[in-house]
Amino acid sequence: DTGVSQDPRHKITKRGQNVTFRCDPISEHNRLYWYRQTLGQGPEFLTYFQNEAQLEKSRLLSDRFSAERPKGSFSTLEIQRTEQGDSAMYLCASSLVSGYNSPLHFGNGTRLTVT
Amino acid sequence: DAKTTQPTSMDCAEGRAANLPCNHSTISGNEYVYWYRQIHSQGPQYIIHGLKNNETNEMASLIITEDRKSSTLILPHATLRDTAVYYCILRDTGTASKLTFGTGTRLQVTL
C-alpha cells in the first residue's frame, strides 16, 4: 500500500502531557496537510507544507501545536501540554504541486483521547 | 461562511443509483467542485472533481449545471459499502490549495 501513513492510529494521554504524531505522505507528493476532526464535524484545516516550508497555519493551530517537515519528507505534529479539548482525530493528507487540480489524499488519522 | 449546501442525510436502496445534490450558488469562475467521502473511522477518500463539464470515473459521475450553481454526485449502483458521509467542496485556486470541509451528507444504503 503506497497511501498516506499515519502513526499511531490511537493515542490516549493524560492532560498536560506532550504527544507527537507522524505522517508519511505518498512518496512523490511534495505538499503535506494536517487537519483535525471532532465528532460529527467535517475535518478542519490546521496547516500545510510545500516541501519543508510551512506555508499556511490556521488560527486553530495554537502556540501549543507545532508541525515540522524536515527534509520535505515525513511530518510530525506535536501538541504540548494537552487539554481535553484536543481530543480529536488528526488527519494528514498529501498532494502534488500542480495547483488546484491535484486531489488531496488522506491517511486514516490518529485518534487522540486526552483524559 | 459555508460555500456549499448539502442535505444532512439521504437514504438509498442497494443496487439503485444514489444522487447526492450540492448547491454552490456563489461559486467563482476559478473554483473546482470536489467530492470526497468518509467512511466511519477512516480518512476522507477522494471521489471526483470537475470545473464545468460533467465528469465520470470508476467510482462516480459528477453532473454540474450550466450556470455552475449546483452539482450532483451520482453513484450508479449503490452498495452497502457506499454508506458514508459525502462532502461537496469548492476548492480555492487562489490563496491556498487546501480543502474546506462542511458537514456533508450522510448517505445510508439499505437492503
Side-chain angles (χ1 to χ4, degrees):
Chain A
D1 188 294
T2 56
V4 177
S5 176
Q6 293 189 245
D7 183 69
R9 286 299 312 276
H10 303 275
K11 178 71 176 178
I12 300 173
T13 191
K14 292 185 177 180
R15 186 164 50 95
Q17 298 295 304
N18 299 342
V19 294
T20 299
F21 310 139
R22 176 179 171 125
C23 171
D24 287 273
I26 294 171
S27 59
E28 65 268 25
H29 286 183
N30 37 21
R31 279 196 175 144
L32 186 147
Y33 309 76
W34 285 98
Y35 281 77
R36 182 178 71 182
Q37 185 174 26
T38 54
L39 199 62
Q41 302 299 313
E44 297 172 293
F45 171 77
L46 292 178
T47 187
Y48 90 94
F49 294 83
Q50 183 164 311
N51 299 313
E52 65 276 8
Q54 189 171 16
L55 296 186
E56 185 175 350
K57 292 194 289 186
S58 162
R59 293 169 297 177
L60 295 174
L61 211 67
S62 76
D63 292 345
R64 297 184 297 106
F65 287 68
S66 63
E68 294 182 346
R69 193 182 182 199
K71 302 177 183 178
S73 55
F74 71 91
S75 176
T76 58
L77 178 67
E78 181 183 16
I79 309 175
Q80 296 181 327
R81 305 182 302 282
T82 54
E83 302 172 355
Q84 287 189 322
D86 297 331
S87 295
M89 174 79 83
Y90 290 85
L91 293 160
C92 176
S94 68
S95 73
L96 288 168
V97 180
S98 59
Y100 47 81
N101 209 19
S102 176
L104 277 65
H105 296 271
F106 285 82
N108 283 327
T110 293
R111 181 167 296 283
L112 173 66
T113 302
V114 181
T115 62
Chain B
D1 59 338
K3 299 178 71 174
T4 64
T5 305
Q6 300 179 252
T8 304
S9 64
M10 295 181 63
D11 292 332
C12 179
E14 189 176 35
R16 304 298 293 268
N19 297 282
L20 291 93
C22 180
N23 286 322
H24 32 79
S25 59
T26 60
I27 190 171
S28 68
N30 294 330
E31 288 180 313
Y32 274 61
V33 180
Y34 274 72
W35 283 84
Y36 278 75
R37 73 180 182 184
Q38 189 171 24
I39 296 168
H40 183 60
S41 295
Q42 296 183 19
Q45 178 188 22
Y46 167 75
I47 301 173
I48 199 167
H49 72 280
L51 182 63
K52 296 179 183 178
N53 300 320
N54 298 339
E55 302 289 342
T56 296
N57 63 19
E58 65 278 5
M59 290 183 68
S61 294
L62 173 60
I63 308 298
I64 303 174
T65 57
E66 192 168 344
D67 63 6
R68 301 186 70 235
K69 293 185 177 182
S70 66
S71 60
T72 302
L73 179 74
I74 301 172
L75 308 178
H77 306 286
T79 71
L80 296 177
R81 289 182 295 179
D82 292 321
T83 293
V85 178
Y86 287 76
Y87 297 99
C88 170
I89 304 164
L90 301 185
R91 192 171 189 188
D92 185 352
T93 64
T95 58
S97 63
K98 66 187 182 220
L99 297 171
T100 301
F101 288 79
T103 52
T105 295
R106 181 170 299 278
L107 176 68
Q108 180 70 51
V109 181
T110 57
L111 290 172

